[in-house]
Amino acid sequence: METRTALVTGAAQGLGQEFAVALAGRGYRVAGLDLIPQPGTAGMILDYVELVGDVSDPATVEEGLERVIDQFGALHVVVNNAGVYPAKPFEETTVEDWRRVMRVNLEAPFLVTRAALPYLKAAGWGRIVNIASAAVFTAPPTMVPYVASKMGLIGFTRALASALAPYDITVNAIAPSMVRTATAERTVGADGGFEAVRDGQAVARIQEPADLVSTLLYVVDEASGFLTGQTLNVSGGSAYL
Ligand SMILES: NC(=O)c1ccc[n+]([C@@H]2O[C@H](COP(=O)([O-])OP(=O)(O)OC[C@H]3O[C@@H](n4cnc5c(N)ncnc54)[C@H](O)[C@@H]3O)[C@@H](O)[C@H]2O)c1
């Protein structure tokens, strides 16, 4: 079988790094696009293409994808993982806050998918995976733009699945619970945030990035072509779901 290639956004750390390394472990050639350099990820993957830039900038995305194709010759899997999750009372949320969350979490997956599509079609096979959040169900009051952006991403996933099915390209979303990444530890997970979420789950422990890997590999699997337009809630049986 031809070696598959994957692009993971937000691959410098956290879930994106976990996904990039897991795909490489399955024999994928992997490229990562992040605002920041990705030495940790590059150090764990042979033949890694490191792209540094803003995923919400169309030119950056298009140039990045051209580099991936120059290096690997094809593209099969896109993981739209880069995201931001600021918490703020709704009354203090500015238009700039709203637009930044929408741009990174919702517009960027559109830009990346649109730019990747000709390559996925050329490969004759594709998997697009959007990283949503179980926060769309728990709806924390300080994350109104975030919840709206991830609900939008789920809508994007569903309609795009219909649009791309004729090309043998599936589109699915994965919705994690709160996951122990460095960013979450510094922000939403601090001051008892992790414990509060854990206590609402049937699985009474804090979710780790590794808990998402088997779902990602299932969704991108060659044999998962009949699974599309779905959001897989990997959230420890959260009491809210
Ligand atoms: N950690 C959690 O608790 C949790 C829970 C549910 C969903 N998620 C989602 O999972 C994804 C990853 O979360 P994480 O905790 O690993 O985050 P993280 O902060 O550890 O990693 C996100 C990466 O995305 C990059 N990034 C941010 N904006 C970017 C931009 N404009 N262009 C390019 N790269 C950009 C960052 O530099 C960072 O390296 C996000 O979409 C997040 O919403 C996270």
Side-chain angles (χ1 to χ4, degrees):
M1 193 183 80
E2 179 194 0
T3 303
R4 300 299 194 193
T5 67
L7 171 71
V8 180
T9 68
Q13 57 192 325
L15 286 178
Q17 180 177 74
E18 188 80 21
F19 293 150
V21 171
L23 289 166
R26 283 297 172 105
Y28 281 80
R29 289 187 290 178
V30 180
L33 168 60
D34 202 298
L35 270 182
I36 56 175
Q38 302 131 56
T41 312
M44 287 188 273
I45 299 178
L46 266 180
D47 211 12
Y48 180 70
V49 173
E50 181 190 69
L51 308 166
V52 179
D54 188 337
V55 76
S56 68
D57 175 59
T60 300
V61 168
E62 276 158 34
E63 286 159 24
L65 278 162
E66 280 165 21
R67 266 196 60 203
V68 175
I69 298 301
D70 282 350
Q71 190 99 359
F72 294 153
L75 181 67
H76 304 90
V77 170
V78 173
V79 184
N80 286 309
N81 164 79
V84 289
Y85 42 90
K88 213 184 213 189
F90 178 66
E91 286 96 320
E92 292 168 25
T93 300
T94 64
V95 175
E96 289 69 33
D97 293 333
W98 174 272
R99 287 187 179 151
R100 173 167 170 263
V101 170
M102 289 297 163
R103 215 174 48 241
V104 180
N105 293 1
L106 186 53
E107 190 170 317
F110 158 70
L111 292 174
V112 172
T113 301
R114 194 184 59 166
L117 189 55
Y119 305 120
L120 299 179
K121 283 168 72 176
W125 183 93
R127 300 277 183 263
I128 296 170
V129 187
N130 298 320
I131 306 306
S133 173
V136 301
F137 303 107
T138 57
T142 55
M143 301 186 83
V144 173
Y146 180 73
V147 170
S149 73
K150 293 297 189 181
M151 236 357 174
L153 189 62
I154 289 171
F156 174 70
T157 299
R158 293 180 59 79
L160 191 66
S162 307
L164 302 190
Y167 306 115
D168 216 354
I169 298 170
T170 67
V171 189
N172 291 287
I174 298 175
S177 180
M178 195 181 287
V179 190
R180 200 192 318 259
T181 64
T183 301
E185 282 188 312
R186 224 179 26 249
T187 58
V188 289
D191 301 328
F194 274 121
E195 290 70 22
V197 169
R198 179 200 60 199
D199 293 347
Q201 294 168 183
V203 180
R205 65 174 174 80
I206 296 167
Q207 189 171 32
E208 304 291 338
D211 289 314
L212 279 314
V213 165
S214 61
T215 306
L216 175 77
L217 295 177
Y218 161 58
V219 169
V220 303
D221 196 275
E222 199 95 4
S224 297
F226 220 67
L227 177 81
T228 197
Q230 302 305 302
T231 298
L232 290 92
N233 298 317
V234 186
S235 54
S238 164
Y240 299 95
L241 305 187

